[in-house]
Each structure stands twice: as structure tokens, then as C-alpha cells.
Amino acid sequence: MNYLKERILKDGKVYPNNVLKVDSFLNHQIDPAVVNAVEKLMYEHFKDRKITKVMTIEASGIAPAIMVANRFNVPMLFAKKTVPSTLKNQERYHALVHSYTKNTDSDVIVSKQYINKDDHILIIDDFLANGEAAKGLVSIARQAGATVAGVGIVIEKSFQPGRQLLEEMGLDVYSICRIQSLEDGQVTFVDGDE
Ligand code: G4P
């Protein structure tokens, strides 16, 4: 069992509506040992993909993404949920991202300056649930004519449709922890996923 799964079993808390709280080590307080493990496993999986840039979406994707970018020695670019006043409409790519959890829509943006057709982009995020965030990032990469080399996820809720959505878009999805169920307050990983 990898270190991330051990931490989820030890410190993760299951909340109503299938929400897993991991804010003691991943998305509020962040344990460097956790993001170090993420960095190593992501590098192992994607090292042959000629990655030129790591992309994520603010806020919680930033910590794992910067660690992975550091390992690949490439820049990390995060999509913003609010538009900076200095960035004109024609200077940015955007995508509408629906959050089922929060029931909100965000128009996320990336400056056209930082992504181009020669990029091989690795998308990194902390959670994959419905796949809306990753789908928005793929859309932005493709608007720029860039190649999406893969999607790397720390925690996948495999009982939600995100993975299937991304695989149907032709993407390689690699998740460090795949959760099969959060029923009865118990975390169960996907069978054989050790
Ligand atoms: P998606 O991320 O796959 O698109 O699915 P969804 O719309 O369901 O998720 C919306 C937000 O909720 C995302 O964060 C996602 O990371 C987070 N989320 C989904 N399931 C869980 C869960 O079980 N536990 C926790 N802690 N978060 C979950 P976001 O809107 O991008 O917000 P941010 O926290 O990164 O700012």
C-alpha cells in the first residue's frame, strides 16, 4: 500500500455526501512527505512523455502540481478562477468549470502567453470526482493547440464519473489512490489497487 493510502486510512475523514476530508495533510495543512510521495509516483508514471509544462487549477491543485513540475524541471501553470484586471479578453483562454460539490460555475482562465502548440502538458489535481475541472484544463490546452500528455490525480473517487469522462476523451489518467467507496464512513480502495 502506498504512503498516500496509508495516510488516507489514518487521517482522512468521511463526511456526508461522499466527501473525503484530507485537510490535515493535503488541501489545507500540507504535509511535505505527502507531496514528496506524489512527486515521485507521478514522475515514475509520466517520465517518458516529454512533459514541458504542468497545469492545474487553483487552489488545492497547486501544491502537488508545483512539486511535480519541480521534479520534471518545467514550469507549473495554474488556471485562475478570477480574471486579473491586467489580462484582456483576447489575451486569455477560458473554460467553464461546473462544480457539482459546490453547485457553482467558474469561468477559469489562463494567459495565452504561457501555453502553446509545442507544449506537452501534464494535468495534475488533488481530486478527480466528476472530472469537470480536468475537462476544463484539457479544453484550455487544446485551445492552444498543445498536447495533453496525461492527467495525474492524487485521489480519484472511482464511484464518480470523472475517469470515464476523461478516458472517453482519449486521455491517460493515472491516480495514486482510487477510492471505490466511502459508504458507512469507511474508505475502500479499488480492488487490487495496492
Ligand atoms: P471535479 O473536481 O472532478 O470536477 O468534481 P466536482 O465538481 O465534484 O468537485 C468540485 C470541487 O470539490 C473540486 O475542488 C474538487 O477537488 C472538490 N472535491 C470533490 N470531491 C471531494 C472530496 O471528497 N473531498 C474534498 N476535500 N474535495 C472534493 P475545487 O472546486 O477545484 O476547489 P479547490 O478546493 O481546489 O479550490
Side-chain angles (χ1 to χ4, degrees):
M1 179 172 290
N2 69 44
Y3 180 61
L4 257 298
K5 288 181 185 170
E6 285 174 19
R7 282 303 290 271
I8 288 171
L9 293 180
K10 184 167 160 277
D11 297 320
K13 304 250 180 305
V14 180
Y15 276 63
N17 301 319
N18 283 328
V19 170
L20 176 67
K21 207 163 159 82
V22 288
D23 66 354
S24 66
F25 60 94
L26 184 63
N27 59 15
H28 188 28
Q29 173 170 265
I30 299 167
D31 183 343
V34 168
V35 276
N36 257 316
V38 170
E39 174 199 313
K40 285 195 183 68
L41 291 165
M42 293 293 179
Y43 183 76
E44 216 27 63
H45 186 86
F46 291 110
K47 62 176 184 287
D48 299 326
R49 305 289 172 84
K50 300 186 169 64
I51 305 300
T52 61
K53 196 154 286 190
V54 171
M55 228 174 124
T56 192
I57 185 164
E58 65 180 353
S60 314
I62 291 177
I66 186 64
M67 294 297 284
V68 176
N70 182 53
R71 184 67 184 80
F72 278 95
N73 198 21
V74 299
M76 186 279 282
L77 179 64
F78 65 94
K80 295 188 173 209
K81 291 176 180 166
T82 50
V83 181
S85 60
T86 49
L87 201 61
K88 297 194 189 88
N89 195 31
Q90 66 273 21
E91 294 171 339
R92 59 194 196 229
Y93 298 115
H94 75 104
L96 209 58
V97 172
H98 178 71
S99 166
Y100 288 94
T101 317
K102 294 172 186 163
N103 198 20
T104 53
D105 285 309
S106 324
D107 196 21
V108 304
I109 65 102
V110 163
S111 168
K112 288 185 178 175
Q113 210 181 335
Y114 301 123
I115 178 169
N116 66 60
K117 64 177 178 37
D118 299 322
D119 277 319
H120 285 234
I121 294 183
L122 174 56
I123 292 171
I124 295 283
D125 213 351
D126 58 340
F127 272 93
L128 175 63
N130 291 292
E132 288 291 313
K135 189 175 87 175
L137 293 173
V138 172
S139 163
I140 285 174
R142 290 183 174 168
Q143 286 168 50
T147 303
V148 179
V151 180
I153 299 294
V154 182
I155 301 172
E156 172 188 316
K157 293 160 85 180
S158 305
F159 53 88
Q160 290 187 242
R163 169 179 283 271
Q164 192 184 344
L165 177 86
L166 299 177
E167 286 182 343
E168 283 170 3
M169 294 169 76
L171 298 161
D172 172 23
V173 182
Y174 168 64
S175 304
I176 294 175
C177 306
R178 301 184 67 197
I179 293 177
Q180 183 175 312
S181 156
L182 294 172
E183 275 165 35
D184 302 324
Q186 276 301 112
V187 180
T188 314
F189 294 111
V190 170
D191 262 357
D193 189 10
E194 287 303 324

